Amino acid sequence: AYDLYDIGVNQILLGPIGFVAGVACMVFAAILAIRQMILPAAGVVLGGAFLLKADAVVQTIGATII
């Protein structure tokens, strides 16, 4: 199962793909906010923040489980 974890978390989520996805979410949230779609923009900001701070989230969940 470590191989799946390594690919899914270390290489995708914590790698450049996760960072680009987080930045894209923030840009999309800005576009939604300009269009006065505040509630969907808030959800997208939360998702983008999760992607940008994924390293801290993974460490926290790992510390909680272990």
Side-chain angles (χ1 to χ4, degrees):
Y2 179 74
D3 292 335
L4 294 174
Y5 173 82
D6 185 43
I7 292 170
V9 174
N10 291 334
Q11 294 180 4
I12 294 177
L13 184 62
L14 298 178
I17 297 172
F19 179 76
V20 170
V23 171
C25 284
M26 293 300 176
V27 170
F28 184 59
I31 292 169
L32 287 175
I34 290 171
R35 291 183 175 186
Q36 299 296 320
M37 301 174 81
I38 303 300
L39 193 59
V44 174
V45 165
L46 290 175
F50 174 80
L51 286 172
L52 290 175
K53 296 301 271 179
D55 55 345
V57 173
V58 168
Q59 289 175 356
T60 303
I61 292 174
T64 303
I65 292 173
I66 294 176

Short mmCIF file of all heavy atoms in Angstrom, two decimals:
data_model
loop_
_atom_site.label_atom_id
_atom_site.label_comp_id
_atom_site.label_asym_id
_atom_site.label_seq_id
_atom_site.Cartn_x
_atom_site.Cartn_y
_atom_site.Cartn_z
N ALA A 1 0.81 -1.19 0.00
CA ALA A 1 0.00 0.00 0.00
C ALA A 1 0.86 1.26 0.00
O ALA A 1 0.37 2.33 -0.31
CB ALA A 1 -0.94 -0.01 1.20
N TYR A 2 2.14 1.13 0.36
CA TYR A 2 3.00 2.31 0.39
C TYR A 2 3.21 2.87 -1.01
O TYR A 2 3.33 4.09 -1.17
CB TYR A 2 4.35 2.02 1.04
CG TYR A 2 5.24 3.23 1.05
CD1 TYR A 2 4.98 4.29 1.93
CD2 TYR A 2 6.29 3.36 0.15
CE1 TYR A 2 5.77 5.42 1.92
CE2 TYR A 2 7.07 4.50 0.13
CZ TYR A 2 6.81 5.52 1.03
OH TYR A 2 7.58 6.65 1.01
N ASP A 3 3.26 2.01 -2.01
CA ASP A 3 3.44 2.50 -3.38
C ASP A 3 2.29 3.41 -3.79
O ASP A 3 2.51 4.46 -4.40
CB ASP A 3 3.57 1.34 -4.37
CG ASP A 3 4.86 0.56 -4.17
OD1 ASP A 3 5.83 1.15 -3.65
OD2 ASP A 3 4.88 -0.63 -4.52
N LEU A 4 1.06 3.02 -3.46
CA LEU A 4 -0.10 3.87 -3.77
C LEU A 4 -0.04 5.17 -2.99
O LEU A 4 -0.36 6.24 -3.52
CB LEU A 4 -1.40 3.12 -3.47
CG LEU A 4 -1.69 1.91 -4.34
CD1 LEU A 4 -2.93 1.19 -3.83
CD2 LEU A 4 -1.87 2.34 -5.78
N TYR A 5 0.34 5.11 -1.72
CA TYR A 5 0.48 6.31 -0.90
C TYR A 5 1.55 7.23 -1.47
O TYR A 5 1.37 8.44 -1.54
CB TYR A 5 0.83 5.92 0.54
CG TYR A 5 1.15 7.10 1.42
CD1 TYR A 5 0.13 7.84 2.00
CD2 TYR A 5 2.46 7.49 1.66
CE1 TYR A 5 0.40 8.93 2.80
CE2 TYR A 5 2.76 8.57 2.46
CZ TYR A 5 1.72 9.29 3.03
OH TYR A 5 2.00 10.37 3.81
N ASP A 6 2.67 6.64 -1.88
CA ASP A 6 3.77 7.43 -2.43
C ASP A 6 3.35 8.16 -3.69
O ASP A 6 3.62 9.35 -3.85
CB ASP A 6 4.97 6.52 -2.72
CG ASP A 6 6.18 7.30 -3.17
OD1 ASP A 6 6.46 8.36 -2.57
OD2 ASP A 6 6.85 6.86 -4.12
N ILE A 7 2.65 7.49 -4.57
CA ILE A 7 2.20 8.12 -5.81
C ILE A 7 1.10 9.14 -5.53
O ILE A 7 1.17 10.28 -5.99
CB ILE A 7 1.71 7.06 -6.82
CG1 ILE A 7 2.89 6.21 -7.29
CG2 ILE A 7 1.02 7.72 -8.01
CD1 ILE A 7 2.49 5.00 -8.10
N GLY A 8 0.10 8.75 -4.75
CA GLY A 8 -1.05 9.62 -4.52
C GLY A 8 -0.74 10.83 -3.67
O GLY A 8 -1.20 11.94 -3.96
N VAL A 9 0.01 10.65 -2.61
CA VAL A 9 0.25 11.75 -1.67
C VAL A 9 1.56 12.46 -1.97
O VAL A 9 1.59 13.67 -2.18
CB VAL A 9 0.20 11.24 -0.22
CG1 VAL A 9 0.57 12.34 0.75
CG2 VAL A 9 -1.18 10.70 0.10
N ASN A 10 2.66 11.72 -1.97
CA ASN A 10 3.96 12.37 -2.10
C ASN A 10 4.20 12.98 -3.47
O ASN A 10 4.73 14.09 -3.57
CB ASN A 10 5.08 11.38 -1.76
CG ASN A 10 5.09 11.03 -0.30
OD1 ASN A 10 4.64 11.78 0.54
ND2 ASN A 10 5.59 9.85 0.01
N GLN A 11 3.84 12.27 -4.52
CA GLN A 11 4.17 12.76 -5.85
C GLN A 11 3.08 13.65 -6.45
O GLN A 11 3.39 14.58 -7.18
CB GLN A 11 4.44 11.58 -6.79
CG GLN A 11 5.70 10.83 -6.40
CD GLN A 11 5.96 9.66 -7.33
OE1 GLN A 11 5.26 9.45 -8.30
NE2 GLN A 11 6.99 8.89 -7.02
N ILE A 12 1.81 13.38 -6.15
CA ILE A 12 0.73 14.18 -6.75
C ILE A 12 0.28 15.30 -5.82
O ILE A 12 0.35 16.47 -6.15
CB ILE A 12 -0.45 13.28 -7.15
CG1 ILE A 12 -0.04 12.33 -8.28
CG2 ILE A 12 -1.64 14.12 -7.58
CD1 ILE A 12 -1.09 11.34 -8.70
N LEU A 13 -0.19 14.95 -4.62
CA LEU A 13 -0.75 15.95 -3.71
C LEU A 13 0.31 16.92 -3.21
O LEU A 13 0.10 18.13 -3.21
CB LEU A 13 -1.44 15.25 -2.54
CG LEU A 13 -2.16 16.15 -1.54
CD1 LEU A 13 -3.29 16.90 -2.25
CD2 LEU A 13 -2.70 15.34 -0.40
N LEU A 14 1.45 16.42 -2.77
CA LEU A 14 2.50 17.28 -2.24
C LEU A 14 3.45 17.78 -3.31
O LEU A 14 4.30 18.62 -3.01
CB LEU A 14 3.28 16.53 -1.16
CG LEU A 14 2.48 16.10 0.07
CD1 LEU A 14 3.37 15.34 1.04
CD2 LEU A 14 1.85 17.29 0.74
N GLY A 15 3.33 17.30 -4.51
CA GLY A 15 4.22 17.69 -5.59
C GLY A 15 3.72 18.89 -6.36
O GLY A 15 2.82 19.63 -5.93
N PRO A 16 4.28 19.09 -7.54
CA PRO A 16 3.90 20.25 -8.34
C PRO A 16 2.46 20.21 -8.84
O PRO A 16 1.84 21.25 -9.03
CB PRO A 16 4.89 20.22 -9.51
CG PRO A 16 5.42 18.84 -9.55
CD PRO A 16 5.34 18.31 -8.15
N ILE A 17 1.91 19.03 -9.01
CA ILE A 17 0.52 18.93 -9.48
C ILE A 17 -0.43 19.49 -8.43
O ILE A 17 -1.35 20.24 -8.75
CB ILE A 17 0.17 17.47 -9.82
CG1 ILE A 17 1.03 16.97 -10.98
CG2 ILE A 17 -1.31 17.33 -10.16
CD1 ILE A 17 0.90 15.50 -11.27
N GLY A 18 -0.22 19.17 -7.17
CA GLY A 18 -1.05 19.69 -6.10
C GLY A 18 -0.92 21.19 -5.94
O GLY A 18 -1.90 21.90 -5.70
N PHE A 19 0.31 21.71 -6.10
CA PHE A 19 0.51 23.14 -5.99
C PHE A 19 -0.19 23.90 -7.12
O PHE A 19 -0.86 24.90 -6.89
CB PHE A 19 2.00 23.47 -5.99
CG PHE A 19 2.29 24.94 -5.90
CD1 PHE A 19 2.15 25.60 -4.69
CD2 PHE A 19 2.67 25.67 -7.01
CE1 PHE A 19 2.39 26.96 -4.59
CE2 PHE A 19 2.91 27.02 -6.92
CZ PHE A 19 2.78 27.67 -5.71
N VAL A 20 -0.05 23.41 -8.33
CA VAL A 20 -0.70 24.06 -9.47
C VAL A 20 -2.22 23.98 -9.32
O VAL A 20 -2.93 24.95 -9.63
CB VAL A 20 -0.23 23.41 -10.80
CG1 VAL A 20 -1.06 23.88 -11.97
CG2 VAL A 20 1.24 23.73 -11.04
N ALA A 21 -2.74 22.88 -8.83
CA ALA A 21 -4.18 22.76 -8.60
C ALA A 21 -4.65 23.74 -7.54
O ALA A 21 -5.72 24.35 -7.67
CB ALA A 21 -4.54 21.34 -8.21
N GLY A 22 -3.86 23.95 -6.49
CA GLY A 22 -4.21 24.92 -5.45
C GLY A 22 -4.24 26.34 -5.98
O GLY A 22 -5.15 27.12 -5.67
N VAL A 23 -3.25 26.69 -6.79
CA VAL A 23 -3.21 28.03 -7.38
C VAL A 23 -4.37 28.21 -8.35
O VAL A 23 -5.01 29.27 -8.39
CB VAL A 23 -1.85 28.28 -8.07
CG1 VAL A 23 -1.86 29.57 -8.86
CG2 VAL A 23 -0.74 28.31 -7.03
N ALA A 24 -4.67 27.18 -9.13
CA ALA A 24 -5.80 27.26 -10.07
C ALA A 24 -7.12 27.43 -9.32
O ALA A 24 -8.00 28.18 -9.77
CB ALA A 24 -5.84 26.01 -10.94
N CYS A 25 -7.26 26.78 -8.18
CA CYS A 25 -8.47 26.95 -7.37
C CYS A 25 -8.59 28.39 -6.88
O CYS A 25 -9.70 28.95 -6.86
CB CYS A 25 -8.45 26.00 -6.18
SG CYS A 25 -8.84 24.31 -6.61
N MET A 26 -7.49 28.98 -6.46
CA MET A 26 -7.54 30.37 -5.99
C MET A 26 -7.92 31.33 -7.12
O MET A 26 -8.70 32.27 -6.92
CB MET A 26 -6.21 30.77 -5.37
CG MET A 26 -5.90 30.04 -4.10
SD MET A 26 -7.16 30.35 -2.86
CE MET A 26 -6.61 29.29 -1.56
N VAL A 27 -7.40 31.09 -8.31
CA VAL A 27 -7.74 31.93 -9.46
C VAL A 27 -9.22 31.75 -9.80
O VAL A 27 -9.93 32.73 -10.06
CB VAL A 27 -6.85 31.59 -10.67
CG1 VAL A 27 -7.33 32.27 -11.93
CG2 VAL A 27 -5.41 31.98 -10.38
N PHE A 28 -9.69 30.51 -9.79
CA PHE A 28 -11.10 30.25 -10.06
C PHE A 28 -12.00 30.89 -9.01
O PHE A 28 -13.07 31.43 -9.33
CB PHE A 28 -11.34 28.74 -10.13
CG PHE A 28 -12.73 28.35 -10.50
CD1 PHE A 28 -13.29 28.76 -11.71
CD2 PHE A 28 -13.50 27.58 -9.65
CE1 PHE A 28 -14.58 28.40 -12.05
CE2 PHE A 28 -14.79 27.22 -9.99
CZ PHE A 28 -15.34 27.63 -11.19
N ALA A 29 -11.57 30.86 -7.75
CA ALA A 29 -12.35 31.51 -6.68
C ALA A 29 -12.41 33.02 -6.90
O ALA A 29 -13.44 33.65 -6.65
CB ALA A 29 -11.75 31.18 -5.32
N ALA A 30 -11.32 33.61 -7.36
CA ALA A 30 -11.33 35.05 -7.64
C ALA A 30 -12.30 35.38 -8.76
O ALA A 30 -13.04 36.37 -8.69
CB ALA A 30 -9.92 35.52 -8.00
N ILE A 31 -12.33 34.54 -9.79
CA ILE A 31 -13.28 34.75 -10.89
C ILE A 31 -14.71 34.63 -10.39
O ILE A 31 -15.58 35.44 -10.75
CB ILE A 31 -12.99 33.75 -12.04
CG1 ILE A 31 -11.65 34.08 -12.69
CG2 ILE A 31 -14.11 33.77 -13.07
CD1 ILE A 31 -11.16 33.02 -13.65
N LEU A 32 -14.98 33.63 -9.54
CA LEU A 32 -16.32 33.48 -8.99
C LEU A 32 -16.70 34.67 -8.11
O LEU A 32 -17.85 35.12 -8.13
CB LEU A 32 -16.42 32.18 -8.17
CG LEU A 32 -16.45 30.88 -8.97
CD1 LEU A 32 -16.43 29.69 -8.02
CD2 LEU A 32 -17.66 30.82 -9.87
N ALA A 33 -15.76 35.18 -7.34
CA ALA A 33 -16.05 36.33 -6.48
C ALA A 33 -16.34 37.57 -7.31
O ALA A 33 -17.22 38.37 -6.95
CB ALA A 33 -14.89 36.58 -5.53
N ILE A 34 -15.64 37.75 -8.41
CA ILE A 34 -15.91 38.89 -9.29
C ILE A 34 -17.31 38.78 -9.89
O ILE A 34 -18.00 39.79 -10.06
CB ILE A 34 -14.83 38.97 -10.40
CG1 ILE A 34 -13.50 39.39 -9.79
CG2 ILE A 34 -15.24 39.93 -11.50
CD1 ILE A 34 -12.33 39.29 -10.73
N ARG A 35 -17.76 37.57 -10.16
CA ARG A 35 -19.10 37.36 -10.71
C ARG A 35 -20.19 37.34 -9.64
O ARG A 35 -21.31 36.95 -9.92
CB ARG A 35 -19.14 36.05 -11.48
CG ARG A 35 -18.32 36.07 -12.73
CD ARG A 35 -18.49 34.78 -13.46
NE ARG A 35 -17.81 34.84 -14.74
CZ ARG A 35 -17.88 33.89 -15.64
NH1 ARG A 35 -18.58 32.81 -15.40
NH2 ARG A 35 -17.24 34.01 -16.78
N GLN A 36 -19.85 37.72 -8.40
CA GLN A 36 -20.78 37.78 -7.27
C GLN A 36 -21.33 36.42 -6.87
O GLN A 36 -22.45 36.32 -6.38
CB GLN A 36 -21.94 38.74 -7.59
CG GLN A 36 -21.52 40.16 -7.84
CD GLN A 36 -20.90 40.80 -6.61
OE1 GLN A 36 -21.37 40.59 -5.51
NE2 GLN A 36 -19.83 41.55 -6.82
N MET A 37 -20.57 35.37 -7.08
CA MET A 37 -20.95 34.02 -6.65
C MET A 37 -20.12 33.71 -5.40
O MET A 37 -19.17 32.92 -5.43
CB MET A 37 -20.70 33.02 -7.77
CG MET A 37 -21.47 33.33 -9.05
SD MET A 37 -21.04 32.26 -10.40
CE MET A 37 -22.03 30.84 -9.99
N ILE A 38 -20.51 34.32 -4.29
CA ILE A 38 -19.70 34.30 -3.09
C ILE A 38 -19.67 32.92 -2.42
O ILE A 38 -18.61 32.46 -2.00
CB ILE A 38 -20.22 35.37 -2.09
CG1 ILE A 38 -20.21 36.75 -2.75
CG2 ILE A 38 -19.41 35.37 -0.81
CD1 ILE A 38 -18.85 37.21 -3.21
N LEU A 39 -20.80 32.26 -2.30
CA LEU A 39 -20.83 30.97 -1.61
C LEU A 39 -20.00 29.90 -2.35
O LEU A 39 -19.19 29.22 -1.70
CB LEU A 39 -22.27 30.50 -1.42
CG LEU A 39 -22.46 29.33 -0.47
CD1 LEU A 39 -21.93 29.67 0.91
CD2 LEU A 39 -23.93 28.98 -0.38
N PRO A 40 -20.13 29.75 -3.67
CA PRO A 40 -19.24 28.80 -4.34
C PRO A 40 -17.77 29.22 -4.26
O PRO A 40 -16.89 28.36 -4.15
CB PRO A 40 -19.71 28.80 -5.80
CG PRO A 40 -21.09 29.31 -5.76
CD PRO A 40 -21.16 30.23 -4.59
N ALA A 41 -17.51 30.52 -4.29
CA ALA A 41 -16.13 31.00 -4.19
C ALA A 41 -15.53 30.63 -2.84
O ALA A 41 -14.35 30.27 -2.76
CB ALA A 41 -16.07 32.51 -4.41
N ALA A 42 -16.34 30.70 -1.78
CA ALA A 42 -15.84 30.34 -0.45
C ALA A 42 -15.47 28.86 -0.39
O ALA A 42 -14.44 28.49 0.19
CB ALA A 42 -16.88 30.67 0.60
N GLY A 43 -16.27 28.02 -1.00
CA GLY A 43 -15.96 26.59 -1.04
C GLY A 43 -14.69 26.30 -1.83
O GLY A 43 -13.87 25.47 -1.42
N VAL A 44 -14.52 26.99 -2.93
CA VAL A 44 -13.33 26.79 -3.75
C VAL A 44 -12.09 27.30 -3.02
O VAL A 44 -11.02 26.69 -3.11
CB VAL A 44 -13.51 27.47 -5.13
CG1 VAL A 44 -12.23 27.40 -5.94
CG2 VAL A 44 -14.64 26.81 -5.89
N VAL A 45 -12.21 28.40 -2.28
CA VAL A 45 -11.07 28.90 -1.50
C VAL A 45 -10.66 27.88 -0.44
O VAL A 45 -9.47 27.64 -0.23
CB VAL A 45 -11.41 30.26 -0.84
CG1 VAL A 45 -10.41 30.62 0.23
CG2 VAL A 45 -11.45 31.34 -1.89
N LEU A 46 -11.64 27.26 0.23
CA LEU A 46 -11.31 26.24 1.23
C LEU A 46 -10.60 25.04 0.59
O LEU A 46 -9.64 24.52 1.14
CB LEU A 46 -12.57 25.78 1.95
CG LEU A 46 -13.19 26.80 2.89
CD1 LEU A 46 -14.51 26.26 3.45
CD2 LEU A 46 -12.25 27.15 4.00
N GLY A 47 -11.08 24.61 -0.57
CA GLY A 47 -10.41 23.52 -1.27
C GLY A 47 -9.01 23.88 -1.73
O GLY A 47 -8.08 23.08 -1.62
N GLY A 48 -8.85 25.10 -2.23
CA GLY A 48 -7.53 25.55 -2.66
C GLY A 48 -6.57 25.68 -1.50
O GLY A 48 -5.39 25.36 -1.62
N ALA A 49 -7.06 26.16 -0.36
CA ALA A 49 -6.21 26.27 0.82
C ALA A 49 -5.77 24.89 1.29
O ALA A 49 -4.63 24.70 1.73
CB ALA A 49 -6.95 27.01 1.93
N PHE A 50 -6.69 23.92 1.21
CA PHE A 50 -6.32 22.54 1.56
C PHE A 50 -5.21 22.03 0.65
O PHE A 50 -4.27 21.40 1.11
CB PHE A 50 -7.54 21.64 1.46
CG PHE A 50 -7.23 20.18 1.67
CD1 PHE A 50 -7.06 19.68 2.94
CD2 PHE A 50 -7.09 19.33 0.59
CE1 PHE A 50 -6.76 18.34 3.14
CE2 PHE A 50 -6.80 17.99 0.77
CZ PHE A 50 -6.64 17.50 2.06
N LEU A 51 -5.31 22.31 -0.64
CA LEU A 51 -4.29 21.85 -1.57
C LEU A 51 -2.95 22.55 -1.34
O LEU A 51 -1.89 21.94 -1.44
CB LEU A 51 -4.75 22.06 -3.02
CG LEU A 51 -5.82 21.10 -3.51
CD1 LEU A 51 -6.32 21.54 -4.88
CD2 LEU A 51 -5.28 19.69 -3.58
N LEU A 52 -2.99 23.85 -1.04
CA LEU A 52 -1.75 24.59 -0.84
C LEU A 52 -1.07 24.22 0.48
O LEU A 52 0.16 24.29 0.58
CB LEU A 52 -2.01 26.09 -0.91
CG LEU A 52 -2.36 26.62 -2.30
CD1 LEU A 52 -2.72 28.09 -2.23
CD2 LEU A 52 -1.21 26.41 -3.27
N LYS A 53 -1.84 23.84 1.49
CA LYS A 53 -1.26 23.46 2.79
C LYS A 53 -1.36 21.96 3.01
O LYS A 53 -1.48 21.49 4.14
CB LYS A 53 -1.98 24.20 3.92
CG LYS A 53 -1.81 25.69 3.89
CD LYS A 53 -0.35 26.09 3.95
CE LYS A 53 0.08 26.22 5.38
NZ LYS A 53 1.46 26.59 5.55
N ALA A 54 -1.31 21.19 1.94
CA ALA A 54 -1.49 19.74 2.04
C ALA A 54 -0.39 19.09 2.87
O ALA A 54 -0.65 18.09 3.55
CB ALA A 54 -1.51 19.12 0.64
N ASP A 55 0.82 19.64 2.86
CA ASP A 55 1.90 19.03 3.65
C ASP A 55 1.58 19.07 5.14
O ASP A 55 1.79 18.10 5.85
CB ASP A 55 3.23 19.70 3.36
CG ASP A 55 3.20 21.20 3.56
OD1 ASP A 55 2.10 21.78 3.64
OD2 ASP A 55 4.29 21.80 3.63
N ALA A 56 1.05 20.19 5.62
CA ALA A 56 0.68 20.29 7.04
C ALA A 56 -0.49 19.38 7.36
O ALA A 56 -0.54 18.77 8.44
CB ALA A 56 0.35 21.73 7.39
N VAL A 57 -1.44 19.27 6.44
CA VAL A 57 -2.61 18.41 6.68
C VAL A 57 -2.18 16.95 6.74
O VAL A 57 -2.62 16.21 7.62
CB VAL A 57 -3.67 18.63 5.58
CG1 VAL A 57 -4.80 17.63 5.70
CG2 VAL A 57 -4.20 20.05 5.62
N VAL A 58 -1.30 16.54 5.85
CA VAL A 58 -0.84 15.15 5.84
C VAL A 58 -0.07 14.84 7.12
O VAL A 58 -0.25 13.77 7.72
CB VAL A 58 0.03 14.88 4.58
CG1 VAL A 58 0.76 13.56 4.69
CG2 VAL A 58 -0.84 14.91 3.34
N GLN A 59 0.76 15.76 7.58
CA GLN A 59 1.51 15.53 8.82
C GLN A 59 0.58 15.46 10.02
O GLN A 59 0.75 14.64 10.91
CB GLN A 59 2.53 16.63 9.03
CG GLN A 59 3.68 16.57 8.06
CD GLN A 59 4.62 17.75 8.20
OE1 GLN A 59 4.39 18.66 8.97
NE2 GLN A 59 5.69 17.74 7.43
N THR A 60 -0.43 16.32 10.06
CA THR A 60 -1.37 16.33 11.18
C THR A 60 -2.18 15.05 11.23
O THR A 60 -2.35 14.45 12.29
CB THR A 60 -2.31 17.55 11.08
OG1 THR A 60 -1.53 18.72 11.04
CG2 THR A 60 -3.27 17.59 12.24
N ILE A 61 -2.68 14.61 10.09
CA ILE A 61 -3.47 13.37 10.05
C ILE A 61 -2.58 12.18 10.39
O ILE A 61 -2.99 11.27 11.11
CB ILE A 61 -4.16 13.21 8.68
CG1 ILE A 61 -5.23 14.27 8.51
CG2 ILE A 61 -4.75 11.81 8.54
CD1 ILE A 61 -5.87 14.30 7.16
N GLY A 62 -1.34 12.19 9.91
CA GLY A 62 -0.41 11.11 10.23
C GLY A 62 -0.10 11.06 11.71
O GLY A 62 -0.02 9.99 12.32
N ALA A 63 0.06 12.21 12.34
CA ALA A 63 0.34 12.24 13.78
C ALA A 63 -0.87 11.79 14.57
O ALA A 63 -0.74 11.19 15.63
CB ALA A 63 0.75 13.66 14.20
N THR A 64 -2.06 12.09 14.07
CA THR A 64 -3.29 11.69 14.77
C THR A 64 -3.48 10.18 14.69
O THR A 64 -3.86 9.54 15.68
CB THR A 64 -4.51 12.39 14.15
OG1 THR A 64 -4.30 13.79 14.22
CG2 THR A 64 -5.77 12.02 14.88
N ILE A 65 -3.19 9.59 13.54
CA ILE A 65 -3.39 8.15 13.36
C ILE A 65 -2.34 7.36 14.15
O ILE A 65 -2.65 6.37 14.79
CB ILE A 65 -3.36 7.79 11.86
CG1 ILE A 65 -4.57 8.38 11.18
CG2 ILE A 65 -3.31 6.28 11.67
CD1 ILE A 65 -4.57 8.22 9.68
N ILE A 66 -1.11 7.82 14.10
CA ILE A 66 -0.02 7.08 14.78
C ILE A 66 -0.04 7.47 16.21
O ILE A 66 -0.21 6.93 17.15
CB ILE A 66 1.34 7.42 14.17
CG1 ILE A 66 1.37 6.90 12.75
CG2 ILE A 66 2.45 6.81 14.99
CD1 ILE A 66 2.61 7.24 12.00
#
